[in-house]
Amino acid sequence: MTDDANRQLRLAIYVLLIAVSVGTIIGRIGQMSANHGKHPFMSANDRSRWATVRSLVDYGTFAIDDVIADRRWDSIDKVYHVGADGKRHYYSSKPPLMAVMLAGEYWVIKNGMGLSLGSYPFYVARIMLVITNVGLLLVMFASLIAMLERYGRSDWGRLFIFTTAAFGTFLTTFAITINNHLVAAVATMVAIDLGTRIWIDGKRDAWLFFGAGFAAAFAAANDLPALSLLGLLGLALLIKAPAKTLVAGVPGALLVAIASFGTTYWAHGSWKPPYAHRSDGPAIATLDVDAAAAELDQGEVPEPVRAKFAALDVQLSETPELQVREAGDRWVLDDPIVDRRWALQKVDNVIEVRTWDRWYDYADTYWRDGVKKGVDLGEQSRLTYLFHMLVGHHGVFSLTPIWILSVVGGVMLLRGDDRQWRDVTIMIATLTIVCVLFYTFRPLKDRNYGGVCSGFRWLFWLIPLWLVTLQPAADWCAKRRWACWLAALLLLISAASAAYPALNPWSHPWIYRYQEYLGWL
């Protein structure tokens, strides 16, 4: 066969694999339901995003109070703080950029088709999932094919890698639910595609730099650890072509940064995302310990406290609520009449009155100690956490052993003669190691394997990069029949893990379930 004929055949197989993958995903979206069919949303995570989308279009606000009044729409992934109207409201704890984009899509559906999320949640959600997630996968597949055709050295290797992308990773698993990880992974795929055209192929078109900057920043806006990709890729392009990077690449990244920070401020009145609001605000007054502490410990609001608030132009109601968090040391003053909350914290010999900035601390919060349960309690041992992250019940290599070949391929690239590919591999290895260490050394409350989900989702954005280092190993296997069979076995196990939670990716992996069955967890 001629090269052109081979290429045409490969393209036909790519299309066939895409059709099967996408068809399977659409079929799973068609079966989606949760809570015994009462709504189409599968977890607190995606329900939190959907609540914002509906609230923006149906009620014209980021506050989700009216939406979650129907308990079927409620979510533990929410925060509670003062809004632009001066009153406290519930908001999704998720970054609002994605919700704003999805709200635009929902607005078109609602006004063009007359379907609302309130009246027809299944229809609208399925339409939006097909448009959004299938559309994202098609973008990722297109970028991957472009890279395979540029850098692949064997037909078998190219098709093997594409089959892995279509069936052997958790990206297709999560394509049936709204989530930020798929978005970040697709943006990463585009960023590495455009970045290698510049770094490996020597292209200098301005649109490549703009696109790489935009895509890398968009990955970071949707998955914070991908900020490391933006930093390393930006540095690499700055070294390779400083002028083009500054003139075209930086504006692409800035456009995303403006959108990300702008929507955060629009939603919450703060430049900081919700997860950054977990501590007391600034001190606005001080109280004498001897004059206030004893009565505060008894759950009473003493006159000196009322006088201090009056001096701040705040007239407390007759019966504000006082919570004794730590006797003699910390109290929380909540006045539902004036709709405000304050922290009273003993510091040295005074009691500081601080503005309330603990957005996750509210009456029915799930995130308070003593309320959380299961994996959300956190893994006590960092070493155990690292083990399960890599080869345990949420393990990258135990659930999807195809990535073992990516490690092999990365070593081959590092030992190869092509310096530019060594640079790319070093960047991918650095990003992976930094991410793994970042999550390993998170505080206890964050060492929860991503909550109830079918894989270690916080590393999913790296999947396109691992597909890149898989290439040399796949090409090496292509020349050896036994190696092809071994690679196929690794892919089969990976595909089985990805297919196990086919109807709800917000469920524990099969290894975790089996260990529960054995009584090990």
Side-chain angles (χ1 to χ4, degrees), residues 86-111:
K87 298 182 179 299
R88 290 180 291 183
H89 300 281
Y90 288 105
Y91 299 83
S92 168
S93 60
K94 305 301 179 185
L97 178 59
M98 180 191 294
V100 170
M101 298 173 69
L102 290 172
E105 186 179 323
Y106 171 42
W107 184 90
V108 173
I109 292 172
K110 182 178 180 181
N111 290 276

Short mmCIF file of all heavy atoms in Angstrom, two decimals, residues 86-111:
data_model
loop_
_atom_site.label_atom_id
_atom_site.label_comp_id
_atom_site.label_asym_id
_atom_site.label_seq_id
_atom_site.Cartn_x
_atom_site.Cartn_y
_atom_site.Cartn_z
N GLY A 86 -26.79 42.37 49.93
CA GLY A 86 -26.58 42.55 51.36
C GLY A 86 -27.16 41.45 52.22
O GLY A 86 -27.11 41.53 53.45
N LYS A 87 -27.70 40.42 51.60
CA LYS A 87 -28.26 39.29 52.33
C LYS A 87 -27.47 38.03 52.04
O LYS A 87 -26.82 37.92 51.00
CB LYS A 87 -29.74 39.08 51.96
CG LYS A 87 -30.63 40.26 52.31
CD LYS A 87 -32.07 39.96 51.97
CE LYS A 87 -32.97 41.15 52.34
NZ LYS A 87 -32.92 41.46 53.78
N ARG A 88 -27.55 37.06 52.96
CA ARG A 88 -26.80 35.82 52.78
C ARG A 88 -27.57 34.85 51.87
O ARG A 88 -28.78 34.72 51.97
CB ARG A 88 -26.53 35.17 54.14
CG ARG A 88 -25.52 35.93 54.98
CD ARG A 88 -25.27 35.27 56.31
NE ARG A 88 -26.44 35.35 57.19
CZ ARG A 88 -26.46 34.89 58.45
NH1 ARG A 88 -25.38 34.30 58.94
NH2 ARG A 88 -27.55 34.99 59.18
N HIS A 89 -26.80 34.18 51.00
CA HIS A 89 -27.38 33.23 50.06
C HIS A 89 -26.45 32.03 49.91
O HIS A 89 -25.27 32.09 50.23
CB HIS A 89 -27.59 33.87 48.67
CG HIS A 89 -28.49 35.06 48.68
ND1 HIS A 89 -29.86 34.95 48.73
CD2 HIS A 89 -28.21 36.39 48.65
CE1 HIS A 89 -30.40 36.16 48.72
NE2 HIS A 89 -29.41 37.05 48.68
N TYR A 90 -27.03 30.96 49.38
CA TYR A 90 -26.23 29.80 49.01
C TYR A 90 -25.74 29.96 47.57
O TYR A 90 -26.46 30.46 46.70
CB TYR A 90 -27.07 28.51 49.11
CG TYR A 90 -27.35 28.08 50.52
CD1 TYR A 90 -28.61 28.25 51.08
CD2 TYR A 90 -26.36 27.49 51.30
CE1 TYR A 90 -28.88 27.85 52.38
CE2 TYR A 90 -26.62 27.08 52.60
CZ TYR A 90 -27.88 27.27 53.14
OH TYR A 90 -28.13 26.88 54.41
N TYR A 91 -24.50 29.51 47.35
CA TYR A 91 -23.89 29.53 46.02
C TYR A 91 -23.18 28.20 45.80
O TYR A 91 -22.74 27.56 46.75
CB TYR A 91 -22.87 30.67 45.88
CG TYR A 91 -23.43 32.05 46.06
CD1 TYR A 91 -23.61 32.59 47.34
CD2 TYR A 91 -23.78 32.83 44.97
CE1 TYR A 91 -24.13 33.86 47.52
CE2 TYR A 91 -24.29 34.12 45.13
CZ TYR A 91 -24.46 34.62 46.41
OH TYR A 91 -24.97 35.89 46.58
N SER A 92 -23.03 27.83 44.55
CA SER A 92 -22.20 26.67 44.25
C SER A 92 -20.76 26.98 44.65
O SER A 92 -20.29 28.11 44.48
CB SER A 92 -22.27 26.35 42.76
OG SER A 92 -21.27 25.40 42.41
N SER A 93 -20.07 25.98 45.17
CA SER A 93 -18.66 26.17 45.52
C SER A 93 -17.75 25.99 44.32
O SER A 93 -16.53 26.16 44.43
CB SER A 93 -18.26 25.18 46.62
OG SER A 93 -18.46 23.83 46.18
N LYS A 94 -18.32 25.64 43.16
CA LYS A 94 -17.51 25.41 41.96
C LYS A 94 -17.16 26.72 41.27
O LYS A 94 -17.97 27.66 41.28
CB LYS A 94 -18.25 24.50 40.99
CG LYS A 94 -18.71 23.18 41.60
CD LYS A 94 -17.54 22.38 42.13
CE LYS A 94 -17.99 21.07 42.75
NZ LYS A 94 -16.86 20.33 43.37
N PRO A 95 -15.99 26.81 40.65
CA PRO A 95 -15.65 28.03 39.90
C PRO A 95 -16.74 28.33 38.87
O PRO A 95 -17.22 27.43 38.18
CB PRO A 95 -14.32 27.67 39.23
CG PRO A 95 -13.72 26.63 40.13
CD PRO A 95 -14.89 25.84 40.65
N PRO A 96 -17.16 29.58 38.76
CA PRO A 96 -18.36 29.90 37.96
C PRO A 96 -18.15 29.99 36.46
O PRO A 96 -19.13 30.08 35.71
CB PRO A 96 -18.78 31.26 38.52
CG PRO A 96 -17.51 31.87 39.01
CD PRO A 96 -16.67 30.73 39.52
N LEU A 97 -16.91 29.98 35.98
CA LEU A 97 -16.69 30.17 34.54
C LEU A 97 -17.42 29.12 33.71
O LEU A 97 -18.11 29.44 32.73
CB LEU A 97 -15.19 30.14 34.23
CG LEU A 97 -14.82 30.28 32.74
CD1 LEU A 97 -15.34 31.59 32.17
CD2 LEU A 97 -13.30 30.19 32.57
N MET A 98 -17.31 27.85 34.07
CA MET A 98 -17.98 26.80 33.32
C MET A 98 -19.50 26.97 33.38
O MET A 98 -20.19 26.81 32.37
CB MET A 98 -17.61 25.41 33.86
CG MET A 98 -18.28 24.28 33.11
SD MET A 98 -18.11 22.68 33.90
CE MET A 98 -16.36 22.44 33.75
N ALA A 99 -20.03 27.31 34.55
CA ALA A 99 -21.47 27.49 34.70
C ALA A 99 -21.98 28.62 33.80
O ALA A 99 -23.07 28.52 33.21
CB ALA A 99 -21.82 27.77 36.16
N VAL A 100 -21.21 29.70 33.70
CA VAL A 100 -21.61 30.82 32.84
C VAL A 100 -21.67 30.37 31.38
O VAL A 100 -22.62 30.70 30.64
CB VAL A 100 -20.63 32.00 33.01
CG1 VAL A 100 -20.89 33.07 31.95
CG2 VAL A 100 -20.76 32.60 34.40
N MET A 101 -20.69 29.60 30.94
CA MET A 101 -20.67 29.12 29.56
C MET A 101 -21.84 28.16 29.31
O MET A 101 -22.51 28.23 28.27
CB MET A 101 -19.34 28.44 29.27
CG MET A 101 -18.15 29.39 29.40
SD MET A 101 -16.54 28.58 29.24
CE MET A 101 -16.56 28.13 27.52
N LEU A 102 -22.10 27.27 30.25
CA LEU A 102 -23.21 26.34 30.10
C LEU A 102 -24.55 27.06 30.17
O LEU A 102 -25.52 26.66 29.51
CB LEU A 102 -23.15 25.27 31.19
CG LEU A 102 -22.02 24.25 31.07
CD1 LEU A 102 -21.96 23.37 32.31
CD2 LEU A 102 -22.21 23.38 29.83
N ALA A 103 -24.60 28.14 30.95
CA ALA A 103 -25.84 28.92 31.04
C ALA A 103 -26.19 29.54 29.69
O ALA A 103 -27.37 29.63 29.33
CB ALA A 103 -25.71 30.00 32.11
N GLY A 104 -25.18 29.95 28.93
CA GLY A 104 -25.44 30.46 27.59
C GLY A 104 -26.06 29.40 26.70
O GLY A 104 -27.00 29.66 25.93
N GLU A 105 -25.55 28.20 26.82
CA GLU A 105 -26.10 27.07 26.06
C GLU A 105 -27.54 26.78 26.49
O GLU A 105 -28.42 26.56 25.64
CB GLU A 105 -25.21 25.85 26.28
CG GLU A 105 -25.55 24.64 25.45
CD GLU A 105 -24.59 23.49 25.72
OE1 GLU A 105 -23.39 23.75 25.92
OE2 GLU A 105 -25.07 22.34 25.75
N TYR A 106 -27.76 26.78 27.79
CA TYR A 106 -29.11 26.51 28.30
C TYR A 106 -30.09 27.60 27.87
O TYR A 106 -31.25 27.33 27.54
CB TYR A 106 -29.06 26.38 29.83
CG TYR A 106 -30.41 26.33 30.51
CD1 TYR A 106 -31.45 25.56 29.98
CD2 TYR A 106 -30.64 27.04 31.69
CE1 TYR A 106 -32.70 25.52 30.62
CE2 TYR A 106 -31.88 27.00 32.32
CZ TYR A 106 -32.90 26.25 31.78
OH TYR A 106 -34.12 26.21 32.39
N TRP A 107 -29.64 28.85 27.86
CA TRP A 107 -30.50 29.97 27.45
C TRP A 107 -30.99 29.76 26.02
O TRP A 107 -32.17 30.00 25.72
CB TRP A 107 -29.74 31.28 27.56
CG TRP A 107 -30.56 32.50 27.26
CD1 TRP A 107 -31.28 33.25 28.15
CD2 TRP A 107 -30.76 33.10 25.97
NE1 TRP A 107 -31.92 34.28 27.51
CE2 TRP A 107 -31.62 34.22 26.17
CE3 TRP A 107 -30.31 32.83 24.69
CZ2 TRP A 107 -32.03 35.04 25.12
CZ3 TRP A 107 -30.72 33.64 23.65
CH2 TRP A 107 -31.57 34.73 23.86
N VAL A 108 -30.10 29.32 25.16
CA VAL A 108 -30.49 29.07 23.76
C VAL A 108 -31.53 27.95 23.69
O VAL A 108 -32.53 28.03 22.96
CB VAL A 108 -29.26 28.73 22.91
CG1 VAL A 108 -29.67 28.29 21.51
CG2 VAL A 108 -28.31 29.92 22.84
N ILE A 109 -31.29 26.88 24.45
CA ILE A 109 -32.23 25.74 24.44
C ILE A 109 -33.59 26.16 25.01
O ILE A 109 -34.65 25.84 24.44
CB ILE A 109 -31.64 24.57 25.26
CG1 ILE A 109 -30.43 24.00 24.54
CG2 ILE A 109 -32.69 23.49 25.49
CD1 ILE A 109 -29.66 22.97 25.35
N LYS A 110 -33.57 26.90 26.10
CA LYS A 110 -34.83 27.31 26.73
C LYS A 110 -35.63 28.24 25.84
O LYS A 110 -36.85 28.07 25.68
CB LYS A 110 -34.53 27.99 28.07
CG LYS A 110 -35.80 28.40 28.82
CD LYS A 110 -35.48 29.03 30.17
CE LYS A 110 -36.78 29.43 30.89
NZ LYS A 110 -36.51 30.07 32.20
N ASN A 111 -34.95 29.21 25.25
CA ASN A 111 -35.66 30.18 24.43
C ASN A 111 -35.92 29.69 23.01
O ASN A 111 -36.86 30.15 22.36
CB ASN A 111 -34.88 31.50 24.39
CG ASN A 111 -34.90 32.23 25.71
OD1 ASN A 111 -35.84 32.95 26.02
ND2 ASN A 111 -33.87 32.03 26.52
#
